[in-house]
Amino acid sequence: MSAEDHAIQTVERLLEVLDLDSTQARTTEDIFTGSSHPMPTGRIYGGQVLAQALLAAERTLPEDRAVHSMHGYFLRPGDASQGITISVDRIHDGRSFSTRRAQAYQNGVPIFSMIASFQDADPGVEHAQPMPDGIPAPEALAPDEDRVQGLPGGTARMLSERAADIRHVDSPLYLPSDDARTPQQAVWMRLRAPLPDDQRLHRAALAYLSDMTIQESILRAHGVYWALPGLKVASLDHAMWWHRPARVDEWLLYVQESPNARGGRGLATGRIFTRDGALVASVAQEIMIRVPDGQE
């Protein structure tokens, strides 16, 4: 299989996961069902259920009323081998704004709960923080899977199978690094093949990508890496604000930093820019992080 065909295949698999089925079952909510990516850990990737919940909520709204913010909590680990049921509660529809609550279920219990707000396009005041200077172009950086060749456990293959091309500006955190212990990092990211033009799909795919790597600003601050024996990391919540339209099949810069870690929790924030410097979205996530004694 050629590299181009492989890239298309990875994105087609993502589109299959994001293609939810609506059901005829109705209570006071709209009901959707979906499937999951197979994962090495057996747990559902958090960005996947974020994107699915968002798409389910958007299916209950006119196409021109777009999401501008969401706040979600990861309640239980999801099982990637089982299907997902998503219920959407139409909380409010106003003249310009709508609010939806979406919950993802497995085995009759919620694994993720989200409230999102949607708005019609509206003129108003505008400003945006600029993109940082001095960031190398994505073409100057090797894909992550090329930088981890030879690592045990099939890491390079796992990274090459994901739909996203991720390129760390600093060393990827799959093994110990000599990089400075600093609570910040930047990565370039895009999907490996084009998506349809539907902006709802691009917004959901951006939510999908937003959960990748954001935790690493916390890990990097303490010299921690993903393969550290005994390391335990779990996402607790995730918030996102969409500022401007963007395509996720074009390069986006994800600038991340961690303002705080304490009590076994770390907070990470991120800003996502288009290649020409437009601020597309802002992200915040808190994680549980437990580092083995003497390893930090």
Side-chain angles (χ1 to χ4, degrees), residues 19 62 82 141 144 150 184 188-189 201 203 239 249 251 293:
D19 186 19
Q82 298 185 27
L141 303 168
D144 281 2
Q184 56 193 25
W188 287 100
M189 61 184 185
L201 191 56
R203 290 190 293 268
D249 47 17
W251 285 115
D293 291 342

Side-chain angles (χ1 to χ4, degrees), residues 49-265:
V49 73
L50 280 172
Q52 289 173 318
L54 178 61
L55 281 171
E58 291 215 326
R59 292 264 291 271
T60 69
L61 290 157
E63 290 187 20
D64 56 356
R65 187 160 286 194
V67 66
H68 67 88
S69 69
M70 64 78 61
H71 301 262
Y73 281 88
F74 299 100
L75 305 175
R76 294 175 176 86
D79 183 346
S81 68
Q82 298 185 27
I84 299 173
T85 299
I86 300 171
S87 66
V88 178
D89 185 1
R90 304 187 185 203
I91 294 177
H92 175 70
D93 287 304
R95 293 178 60 184
S96 299
F97 289 85
S98 292
T99 307
R100 296 290 186 266
R101 179 174 59 233
Q103 295 205 106
Y105 291 86
Q106 285 189 317
N107 298 316
V109 296
I111 62 171
F112 176 74
S113 183
M114 175 193 85
I115 289 184
S117 182
F118 304 79
Q119 183 191 15
D120 295 337
D122 211 2
V125 298
E126 184 166 338
H127 73 270
Q129 194 167 11
M131 186 167 72
D133 295 326
I135 303 291
E139 293 83 3
L141 303 168
D144 281 2
E145 57 267 26
D146 291 350
R147 300 173 72 178
V148 299
Q149 290 292 340
L151 285 185
T155 302
R157 178 176 176 79
M158 177 189 71
L159 297 180
S160 68
E161 291 296 325
R162 62 188 179 184
D165 184 348
I166 305 291
R167 305 188 181 193
H168 280 73
V169 172
D170 298 307
S171 300
L173 287 183
Y174 300 102
L175 280 177
S177 169
D178 293 330
D179 293 340
R181 293 191 177 192
T182 176
Q184 56 193 25
Q185 70 168 16
V187 302
W188 287 100
M189 61 184 185
R190 68 174 178 183
L191 293 186
R192 297 184 187 273
L195 282 187
D197 291 336
D198 185 351
Q199 267 296 311
R200 292 176 300 180
L201 191 56
H202 284 266
R203 290 190 293 268
L206 190 62
Y208 179 93
L209 292 177
S210 72
D211 190 37
M212 287 187 180
T213 73
I214 188 171
Q215 308 87 355
E216 293 178 352
S217 58
I218 303 163
L219 275 59
R220 197 175 291 276
H222 299 276
V224 176
Y225 54 97
W226 288 114
L228 177 68
L231 174 67
K232 294 182 179 180
V233 175
S235 300
L236 299 174
D237 61 4
H238 194 96
M240 188 167 179
W241 298 262
W242 287 257
H243 307 311
R244 293 169 181 83
R247 295 191 65 92
V248 295
D249 47 17
E250 298 176 355
W251 285 115
L252 298 168
L253 180 67
Y254 199 178
V255 180
Q256 305 158 356
E257 62 181 356
S258 174
N260 186 75
R262 187 175 185 274
R265 302 185 317 278

